[in-house]
Amino acid sequence: LLCLSGQKRLWLFPPSDARYLHPISDFAHSALPPFASVADLPPELREVFSGVGAAHPIEVTLGKGDLLYLPVCWWHCVEGSEERNMILNWWFDMHPEKTALASRDLA
């Protein structure tokens, strides 16, 4: 991620936290609301997502000119600043062996 203007706030989760983030479909998305702690969730969702408290997010703020390399299988959520902001992303396909490992680790 290259921040071209403004700021972006990110929560980064290591691959070992995937089991707490409720991955869905192809393990590319999470059912968990972004930037939500268990305490912030409505009571009916606290039980559903109770495991998120065991996750260990790393909070990062990128400013203009900052570059972040996000390794494969790291979960993240991104929030832009109130002022105008823009990031540039480069996406690569995950190697089939890493896809298999990620799926196995979540089982």
Side-chain angles (χ1 to χ4, degrees):
L1 298 161
L2 173 61
C3 187
L4 299 174
S5 65
Q7 291 186 328
K8 293 285 186 176
R9 179 173 75 127
L10 297 96
W11 276 7
L12 308 174
F13 297 88
S16 58
D17 281 353
R19 63 182 165 264
Y20 308 122
L21 303 177
H22 299 269
I24 55 175
S25 67
D26 61 354
F27 298 99
H29 300 92
S30 171
L32 184 68
F35 297 106
S37 69
V38 175
D40 294 336
L41 296 173
E44 63 274 9
L45 292 181
R46 286 185 193 148
E47 187 174 333
V48 174
F49 296 116
S50 62
V52 75
H56 302 92
I58 301 166
E59 187 170 340
V60 175
T61 301
L62 298 178
K64 181 179 178 180
D66 290 339
L67 178 67
L68 174 71
Y69 170 73
L70 190 59
V72 69
C73 295
W74 275 70
W75 292 80
H76 65 284
C77 52
V78 181
E79 176 182 68
S81 55
E82 290 190 21
E83 74 271 4
R84 184 168 72 171
N85 57 80
M86 183 184 300
I87 58 173
L88 182 61
N89 297 316
W90 290 270
W91 294 97
F92 300 94
D93 288 334
M94 189 164 47
H95 190 280
E97 289 178 17
K98 289 187 178 184
T99 302
L101 286 172
S103 298
R104 183 200 70 201
D105 289 344
L106 292 173

